[in-house]
Every structure is written in structure tokens, then in C-alpha cells.
């Protein structure tokens, strides 16, 4: 390469090196020779990053290349040979091997013990074993979701753990649960996935072309306008595979893809995987089904305790164990759990034929690179991700007719309930007594209690299941570069707008039929709106509490008891049932959103006159003072609680990310 010459690489045709890969930006990077005869590379702000020896370069940064350095761009790698570049394109025909993988949990117990096996290119490998044999742990170790404590995972002789940021883009993972929104059509689900995973400079036509290619390859084009929820189990699994194939991974992992399917669908899915392998990919599937093992190239059998009991051709496996059926093999595992199955395997001829060479390499502890080198770069900017996530989430909600109906009915019912209370003096204080004191207005506090509890319940109910039901989707998308904050903000924006709208409904129904002050404290001519604002803010903050619940629980069934408990606690601390001015209960109420919302409305209504403290008239509640500053303090505290809840949700979401992303 002559001195001063610039050689640019990218997807656009004007580049000197054109790489037709949607993982590559239009203008990705450029090489140029330096005066000392070396070659320098400069990243041009690429979306999926430029890698040197598996480590990401800084965006728009430069680096000098040595004679042995490997530059990664999308699915292609370039090696400097003399004064020129040699290209290698990852077509899927690459080897994959695990060497001495050991996973240790707290207490020093090994749940995966010294697992080694090698996989040739274009192979279909099945992993089977009884419960407790470490199949899921092995899958997490192989994909980097939970790196092994000891051992190596080699992808084309490159260490996955040390070069995770680059190699992770070339690996597809299909979890047991569907990784797509069932309310969307197949085409729309893939459209949003492509929008999130491809570089921001990818055109709509390029994304659609790739979607059409994948749909055609998996014979899903006739189902593309159907909702995912209307498809059969086997077809839904095909859509999950299609989502992963968008980025052309060369290595695909699947966790129990045939779980819950009938024998016919089981065969269809396994034949689909066989076809993917024949087309040039390496496919590893964890399965409980043994009916279609014969179409696999290799079979890995895990023994109880997380060790290898067999690895080799599936047709030789039953003979190796000395049984005629797999049911007998699994019964033997259960009946002889203390038997040294791994030792039997290592002492066999099959071990010498299929695993001895890989096992001969000594095990090494895993030394993880710095966290910033392990995270894949985000293919989209933060605002671009946020825009896509908001539109996708809005589409999911709009497609759920039941939720849409509940969104309108629930606040309306809660507002109407407050109308059952007899008017009395409504929201105004009664006339002064003879002694000059003010008669308490019980109607005002009771109505506000009902409206506040309704806003709490409606807001929390909107969000209490939203994170738990998308947990598998979030985990997968997070590994491919999804921004945690953009994901959370999309929920806050969409659910916040819905909850605010519900607050308006609750407030209008609850306050319109009541006699309220003719002038507001803050919004002078709009007292009704001023009274609705605390209800809307309370619904929003309760929605944030619902997200905390959704981020903490492990199953959707646990959300309902927590939702009811949250609503009941808010009833107690509104300040409407008993005076909260002083004592431990008062201090505890400061962390309750209902306390501040009622206080904000009480400030507007001058609750110290509407509902005075009869037990201690000289000790009014300071949060109810009819002052502009106090109203802003009440509203500010309410929204601050919501913001703090958002910080907690972001923190709790980290627990549901691949472990490698948490470093």
C-alpha cells in the first residue's frame, strides 16, 4: 500500500473495499500507510465497531497495526500481509470447541465439571441429559452469558471470553421461551428486531430485503402477516430462529426448541436445524427429546453433576451405554447417581476417537478483559433505540385489545365509585361553629382517599407485569447491544402517558360533580386541572413502583399479591384515615406517594380548614398548608419518589442481563 494512499472499507459502493454485510456501516473504517512503512486504521464512527485482535477500537479512533494483528469488521477479518490486506469472511464454516469448562457456584460446588468437546464446521450437535446435569449451565458458558470459572470456549481458535465484544455478534441464541412479542405480526416483529440490531445507516429497503430472505429461507413468507400468537408452536419457534438469522450468525445455540411440541412438530424443528447446518452454520441444540437424534452429527450426553458421559456419533451412543433405549439410560443415571460416568467415558475407545485431542490441552483459569472490552457496541444511538422501542411498545399495546379496554374501564370505574359518596359540603369547609371553629368536612377526605387509591391501583396495575413478561426478550436484546436506559425509558414514556390519561379520567369524574374552590392556588382559573395534577403524578409514581415489583419477581403470578399489598399500604398512609402529623407513622409516610399526592391536593383545597385536626387544633398538618411553596414541595417530593424508583428499576434490571454484561 503506497504511502499517502487511503483505502476505505464499508458497505457503500464508493469504498475501495466493499463488504456487503449489514453489520458493517456504509463508511466503516479506513487504512493508510505511515512513513515508517506500517499501516494505520481509523474507525469512521462505525455503529457495530471495528476490532483489533477481538478488542473494540474507540469510535473514530486510530491505531497502528502490527504484522500479526487481525482487524474485525462485521463478519469479515483482515490480516496485514506485507503492504496489503488479506480478507477472511466468516461464512459459518468455522470450528468450535470447549476445553475443560468448569463452573463453580458459591460454596465451592462445581455444577459443571471439566467439560470438553470439539465441533467441526457445518455440524448439528444435540446436548441431552437428565435434570441437574448442567445442560443450561453449559449453554450459558458456551454463549458467554455466564462465563465458566475455568476453561476456554474457542470459536475458530479465538477465545470467546476474551474477544466477546466482536465474536458475540456472530453467535445466535434462541432461548426456550419465545424472544418476540406475540401481539405483533411476524413481519412487524422482525422489522423492529432488524431496526434495533442493524446499524443506524441501514436503509429501510436493506432491512426489508434481509427480512424477506430469512422468511423465504424458513418458509415463513406465507405467515408474515399473521400475529405470532396465532401461529403453532413449531411456527413460533421458526420465527424465533428467523429473528436470530437476521444478522447471519455462523454459530446458533437453541435451548429446548421442541419443548411442548408434538412429535410431528418436533421432527419439523429438528429438520429445520439440520437444514441450517447443511447451509453452512454450526448448530448446537439442548433438548429433552430423543426421537430425532439420528439426524445430528454429534451427541453430547451430560451426566448428573455436570460432567460428560458421552460425546460422539448419536448412532453409537446406546451401544456405548449398553442399553437399548434412552429411557433405560436415564433411569441408570437416576439409579446410579454416584457412579463415575465421566471416568467411564474417559476410559473408553470413544473418548480416544472423539475427545482426547481437545482434552489434552491443559485447563486455564478465565481472566476476563476489562468490562468495556466485553460489551458489544450499540448498533444504534440512544435516541434511535428509544424511538424504535417506543414505537414497538406502542404497537404491542395497541394490538392488545383487552389491555386497551381495561385501560379505559378501570379508571372510569374507580372514578364513578367516588360518586357514591353523598355530596355533603363536597370540597369546601363547613360554616364556622358558634365558638369560631371549623366543622370538619369528612366528604372531602373520603373522596380524595378513594381517588388516590384508585390512581395508585391503576398506575401500578399498568406496569406490574411489563418487565417480567419481557424478561427473556430483554436478556437477549441486551446481549446484542440494547441500551438498558433506553429500554426502561421507553416503558416510562408509554406507560407514563397511559397513566397520566387515566389520572385525568379519574380526576374529572371524581371532581367535576363536586363543589370545589373557584380559584386554584397555582393555576388560578383552572382549579379542576390543579386538583387533577396530583392524581396524575400519583398514578405515574405508582406506575414506577409497579416496575420495581415487575423487576424483582421471578414469575407473573407473584405480582398480584404485591400489587394488592402496595395499594393497601397506600390507603393507610394517605393521611385521610387518621392524622399523620407527628410520630413514627408520619415519618414512614414520607416515602409513600399517596401521602404527597393527597397533601398536594389538600394544599389546594386548604385541608387544614376543610378537615382540621380536632384532637389538636393548634397542630395542623404542615403538608396541608395553603401555600404555593408547599404545593411545589409536595409535588416535587412525589415526582422525586418516582425518579428514585426509576433508578432502582435500572439497578434491578441488571440482575436479568447476561453476566458478562454486568461486569
Amino acid at each position: 500500500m503506497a504511502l499517502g494512499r487511503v483505502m476505505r472499507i464499508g458497505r457503500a459502493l464508493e469504498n475501495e473495499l466493499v463488504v456487503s454485510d449489514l453489520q458493517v456501516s456504509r463508511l466503516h473504517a479506513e487504512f493508510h500507510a505511515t512513513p515508517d512503512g506500517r499501516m494505520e486504521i481509523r474507525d469512521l464512527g462505525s455503529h457495530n465497531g471495528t476490532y483489533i485482535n477481538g478488542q473494540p477500537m474507540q469510535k473514530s479512533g486510530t491505531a497502528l497495526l502490527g504484522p500479526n494483528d487481525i482487524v474485525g469488521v462485521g463478519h469479515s477479518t483482515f490480516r496485514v500481509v506485507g503492504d496489503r490486506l488479506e480478507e477472511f469472511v466468516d461464512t459459518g464454516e468455522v470450528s468450535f470447541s470447549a476445553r475443560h469448562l468448569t463452573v463453580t457456584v458459591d460454596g465451592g460446588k462445581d455444577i459443571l465439571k471439566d467439560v470438553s468437546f470439539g465441533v467441526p464446521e457445518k455440524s448439528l450437535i444435540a446436548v441431552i441429559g437428565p435434570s441437574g446435569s448442567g445442560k443450561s449451565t453449559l449453554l450459558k458458558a458456551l454463549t458467554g452469558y455466564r462465563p465458566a470459572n475455568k476453561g476456554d470456549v474457542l470459536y475458530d481458535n479465538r477465545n470467546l471470553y476474551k474477544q466477546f465484544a466482536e465474536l458475540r455478534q456472530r453467535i445466535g441464541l434462541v432461548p426456550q421461551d419465545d424472544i418476540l412479542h406475540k401481539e405483533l405480526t411476524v413481519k412487524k416483529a422482525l422489522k423492529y428486531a432488524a431496526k434495533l440490531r442493524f446499524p443506524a445507516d441501514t436503509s429501510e429497503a436493506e432491512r426489508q430485503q434481509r427480512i424477506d430472505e430469512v422468511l423465504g429461507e424458513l418458509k415463513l413468507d406465507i405467515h408474515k402477516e399473521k400475529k405470532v400468537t396465532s401461529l403453532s408452536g413449531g411456527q413460533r419457534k421458526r420465527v424465533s430462529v428467523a429473528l436470530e438469522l437476521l444478522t447471519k450468525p455462523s454459530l446458533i445455540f437453541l435451548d429446548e426448541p421442541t419443548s411442548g411440541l408434538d412429535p410431528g412438530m418436533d421432527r419439523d424443528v429438528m429438520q429445520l436445524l439440520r437444514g441450517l447446518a447443511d447451509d453452512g452454520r454450526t448448530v448446537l441444540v439442548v433438548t429433552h427429546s430423543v426421537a430425532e437424534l439420528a439426524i445430528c452429527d454429534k451427541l453430547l450426553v451430560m451426566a448428573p453433576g455436570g460432567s460428560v458421559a458421552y460425546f460422539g456419533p448419536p448412532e453409537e451412543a446406546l451401544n456405548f451405554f449398553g442399553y437399548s433405549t434412552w429411557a433405560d439410560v436415564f433411569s441408570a443415571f437416576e439409579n446410579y447417581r454416584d457412579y463415575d460416568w465421566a471416568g467411564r467415558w474417559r476410559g473408553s475407545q470413544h473418548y480416544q476417537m472423539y475427545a482426547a485431542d481437545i482434552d489434552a490441552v491443559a485447563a486455564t483459569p478465565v481472566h476476563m478483559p476489562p468490562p468495556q472490552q466485553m460489551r458489544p457496541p450499540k448498533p444504534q444511538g440512544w435516541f434511535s433505540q428509544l424511538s424504535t422501542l417506543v414505537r414497538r411498545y406502542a404497537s404491542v399495546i395497541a394490538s392488545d385489545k383487552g389491555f386497551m379496554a381495561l385501560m379505559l374501564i378501570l379508571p372510569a370505574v374507580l372514578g364513578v365509585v367516588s360518586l357514591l359518596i353523598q355530596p355533603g359540603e363536597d370540597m369546601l369547609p363547613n360554616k364556622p361553629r358558634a365558638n369560631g371553629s371549623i366543622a370538619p368536612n369528612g366528604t372531602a377526605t373520603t373522596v380524595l382517599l378513594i381517588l388516590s387509591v384508585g390512581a395508585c391501583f391503576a398506575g401500578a396495575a399498568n406496569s406490574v407485569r411489563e418487565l417480567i413478561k419481557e424478561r427473556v426478550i430483554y436478556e437477549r436484546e441486551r446481549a446484542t447491544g440494547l441500551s438498558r436506559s433506553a429500554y426502561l425509558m421507553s416503558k416510562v414514556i408509554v406507560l407514563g402517558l397511559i397513566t397520566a390519561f387515566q389520572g385525568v379520567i379519574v380526576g374529572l369524574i371524581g371532581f367535576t360533580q363536586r363543589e370545589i374552590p373557584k380559584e386554584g392556588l397555582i393555576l388560578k382559573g383552572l382549579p379542576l386541572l390543579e386538583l387533577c395534577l396530583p392524581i396524575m403524578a400519583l398514578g405515574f409514581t405508582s406506575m414506577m413502583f409497579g416496575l420495581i415489583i415487575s423487576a424483582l419477581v421471578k414469575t407473573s403470578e407473584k405480582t398480584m399479591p404485591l400489587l394488592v399489598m402496595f395499594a393497601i399500604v397506600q390507603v393507610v398512609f394517605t393521611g385521610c384515615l387518621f392524622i399523620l402529623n407527628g410520630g413514627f407513622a408520619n415519618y414512614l409516610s414520607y416515602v409513600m406517594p399517596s401521602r404527597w399526592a393527597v397533601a398536594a391536593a389538600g394544599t389546594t383545597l386548604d385541608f387544614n380548614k376543610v378537615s382540621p385536626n380536632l384532637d389538636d387544633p393548634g397542630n395542623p398538618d404542615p403538608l396541608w398548608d395553603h401555600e404555593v411553596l408547599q404545593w411545589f414541595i409536595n409535588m416535587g417530593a412525589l415526582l422525586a419518589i418516582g425518579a428514585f424508583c426509576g433508578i432502582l428499576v435500572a439497578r434491578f434490571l441488571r440482575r436479568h442481563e447476561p453476566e458478562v454484561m454486568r461486569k
Side-chain angles (χ1 to χ4, degrees):
M1 185 173 177
L3 180 64
R5 182 190 170 195
V6 175
M7 182 166 54
R8 195 167 52 195
I9 181 173
R11 204 173 70 247
L13 296 178
E14 59 263 29
N15 294 287
E16 285 76 19
L17 281 174
V18 179
V19 181
S20 56
D21 178 0
L22 291 183
Q23 294 290 85
V24 177
S25 298
R26 296 183 62 81
L27 302 176
H28 198 101
E30 62 184 20
F31 302 88
H32 58 90
T34 62
D36 59 0
R38 300 173 68 182
M39 191 174 294
E40 185 180 64
I41 181 172
R42 174 177 298 162
D43 182 85
L44 299 178
S46 61
H47 298 279
N48 278 324
T50 303
Y51 300 83
I52 300 178
N53 300 323
Q55 307 304 329
M57 289 181 59
Q58 185 177 358
K59 280 197 175 186
S60 303
T62 60
L64 287 173
L65 300 177
N68 298 318
D69 287 341
I70 300 174
V71 178
V73 175
H75 289 84
S76 301
T77 56
F78 297 88
R79 293 171 175 85
V80 179
V81 180
D83 61 347
R84 60 191 178 85
L85 292 171
E86 286 189 354
E87 180 183 5
F88 167 76
V89 179
D90 180 0
T91 60
E93 301 176 13
V94 294
S95 61
F96 178 80
S97 62
R99 295 179 178 176
H100 301 283
L101 296 182
T102 299
V103 174
T104 305
V105 295
D106 295 338
K109 180 182 178 181
D110 292 338
I111 57 176
L112 198 67
K113 300 179 181 178
D114 201 20
V115 174
S116 298
F117 63 95
V119 178
E121 60 190 36
K122 297 184 180 180
S123 297
L124 174 59
I125 306 94
V127 180
I128 64 172
S131 298
S133 59
K135 298 187 300 297
S136 297
T137 302
L138 174 62
L139 191 65
K140 292 178 180 178
L142 294 176
T143 57
Y145 271 47
R146 199 292 186 193
N149 299 92
K150 183 183 292 185
D152 299 306
V153 177
L154 299 182
Y155 175 95
D156 198 27
N157 293 319
R158 300 172 65 185
N159 192 300
L160 174 65
Y161 295 158
K162 295 180 180 179
Q163 302 184 23
F164 176 83
E166 178 184 0
L167 297 181
R168 191 68 192 89
Q169 301 179 44
R170 308 185 188 187
I171 298 176
L173 173 63
V174 180
Q176 182 174 349
D177 297 321
D178 293 327
I179 51 176
L180 31 82
H181 294 86
K182 298 179 182 179
E183 299 86 356
L184 301 178
T185 64
V186 172
K187 182 178 180 180
K188 187 170 288 188
L190 294 181
K191 170 188 171 184
Y192 286 120
K195 179 70 174 174
L196 286 172
R197 297 193 181 194
F198 289 141
D201 62 359
T202 307
S203 67
E204 180 70 27
E206 289 175 312
R207 289 195 297 269
Q208 190 57 54
Q209 180 181 357
R210 181 57 191 154
I211 291 172
D212 292 339
E213 291 172 356
V214 171
L215 290 175
E217 180 180 359
L218 298 183
K219 298 180 176 58
L220 287 169
D221 40 358
I222 60 174
H223 303 294
K224 64 182 180 181
E225 299 299 338
K226 296 180 181 177
K227 286 189 176 183
V228 175
T229 188
S230 68
L231 302 178
S232 66
Q235 290 168 343
R236 285 203 304 271
K237 193 58 61 176
R238 282 177 178 264
V239 178
S240 293
V241 173
L243 189 150
E244 290 299 311
L245 290 184
L246 288 173
T247 54
K248 297 184 178 180
S250 49
L251 181 62
I252 303 176
F253 294 93
L254 301 99
D255 187 10
E256 301 285 357
T258 60
S259 177
L261 302 184
D262 61 47
M265 290 184 179
D266 182 354
R267 180 181 58 193
D268 291 343
V269 171
M270 292 301 292
Q271 289 178 344
L272 165 66
L273 303 183
R274 177 72 265 173
L276 295 177
D278 292 339
D279 287 341
R281 304 174 183 92
T282 300
V283 182
L284 187 146
V285 53
V286 174
T287 180
H288 276 116
S289 174
V290 297
E292 303 297 329
L293 296 179
I295 68 174
C296 299
D297 297 300
K298 290 289 190 297
L299 175 65
L300 176 66
V301 183
M302 300 295 292
S307 58
V308 177
Y310 173 82
F311 178 72
E315 61 270 16
E316 300 177 19
L318 285 175
N319 183 57
F320 170 81
F321 287 107
Y323 293 99
S324 58
T325 67
W326 282 108
D328 294 331
V329 174
F330 279 49
S331 294
F333 282 147
E334 181 64 29
N335 296 331
Y336 307 103
R337 298 187 71 88
D338 295 331
Y339 182 75
D340 187 9
W341 295 100
R344 180 177 184 272
W345 156 244
R346 293 180 187 278
S348 67
Q349 291 184 344
H350 285 81
Y351 171 79
Q352 297 298 325
M353 294 173 60
Y354 302 117
D357 292 342
I358 295 174
D359 225 9
V361 181
T364 57
V366 177
H367 299 290
M368 306 304 282
Q372 65 272 18
Q373 295 182 357
M374 301 197 60
R375 294 179 180 174
K378 298 176 176 60
Q380 302 280 331
W382 191 88
F383 286 103
S384 178
Q385 283 197 13
L386 176 63
S387 173
T388 301
L389 290 168
V390 167
R391 285 186 284 114
R392 182 179 70 177
Y393 190 34
S395 296
V396 170
I397 290 179
S399 301
D400 189 344
K401 306 302 182 185
F403 181 84
M404 293 285 288
L406 183 63
M407 180 187 73
L408 295 173
I409 294 174
L410 180 61
V413 170
L414 294 172
V416 168
V417 167
S418 70
L419 299 181
L420 300 178
I421 301 172
Q422 294 301 316
E425 291 295 329
D426 290 340
M427 301 298 177
L428 301 176
N430 285 352
K431 296 179 180 180
R433 293 173 172 175
N435 59 7
S437 64
I438 299 295
N441 184 350
T443 299
T445 53
T446 306
V447 170
L448 199 55
L449 171 66
I450 294 175
L451 297 181
S452 299
V453 173
C456 285
F457 189 83
N462 287 339
S463 61
V464 75
R465 291 188 176 183
E466 290 308 299
L467 299 182
I468 179 64
K469 74 179 184 181
E470 291 186 359
R471 187 157 294 172
V472 176
I473 299 174
Y474 172 74
E475 183 180 67
R476 181 69 193 112
E477 292 184 340
R478 179 74 176 125
T480 61
L482 179 71
S483 166
R484 182 196 309 133
S485 58
Y487 174 79
L488 176 57
M489 187 57 66
S490 69
K491 299 292 185 185
V492 172
I493 290 174
V494 176
L495 291 175
L497 291 174
I498 291 174
T499 305
F501 175 71
Q502 291 177 322
V504 171
I505 295 177
V506 171
L508 289 179
I509 295 177
F511 291 125
T512 301
Q513 299 301 317
R514 301 287 175 181
E515 186 178 356
I516 62 175
K518 297 180 179 180
E519 186 175 281
L521 180 64
I522 307 299
L523 305 176
K524 299 299 184 181
L526 300 170
L528 180 60
L529 176 59
E530 185 175 320
L531 288 172
C532 286
L533 287 178
I535 302 299
M536 296 164 63
L538 177 59
F540 175 84
T541 303
S542 299
M543 180 269 293
M544 299 302 295
F545 267 94
L547 289 179
I548 290 180
I549 295 173
S550 192
L552 285 175
V553 298
K554 294 184 178 180
T555 62
S556 296
E557 289 74 18
K558 295 179 180 179
T559 59
M560 286 299 103
L562 293 174
L563 172 62
V564 174
M565 183 177 69
F566 169 75
I568 292 175
V569 169
Q570 298 311 306
V571 172
V572 175
F573 290 100
T574 55
C576 296
L577 294 179
F578 54 88
I579 299 299
L580 283 172
N581 185 17
F584 175 75
N586 182 50
Y587 295 120
L588 184 59
S589 73
Y590 290 161
V591 298
M592 302 297 171
S594 62
R595 169 71 158 131
W596 296 102
V598 169
T603 299
T604 298
L605 296 170
D606 198 1
F607 257 18
N608 281 326
K609 290 184 177 180
V610 171
S611 184
N613 184 358
L614 296 181
D615 295 330
D616 189 1
N619 188 23
D621 192 332
L623 299 190
W624 290 357
D625 288 344
H626 189 63
E627 297 177 359
V628 172
L629 177 60
Q630 189 59 52
W631 188 90
F632 280 107
I633 290 175
N634 294 338
M635 289 294 289
L638 179 58
L639 296 176
I641 292 174
F644 182 70
C645 289
I647 296 173
L648 292 180
V649 175
R651 184 71 180 176
F652 295 147
L653 275 176
R654 295 179 71 250
R655 305 187 322 158
H656 310 298
E657 298 173 0
E659 186 168 326
V660 71
M661 305 292 293
R662 297 183 228 158
K663 301 296 182 180

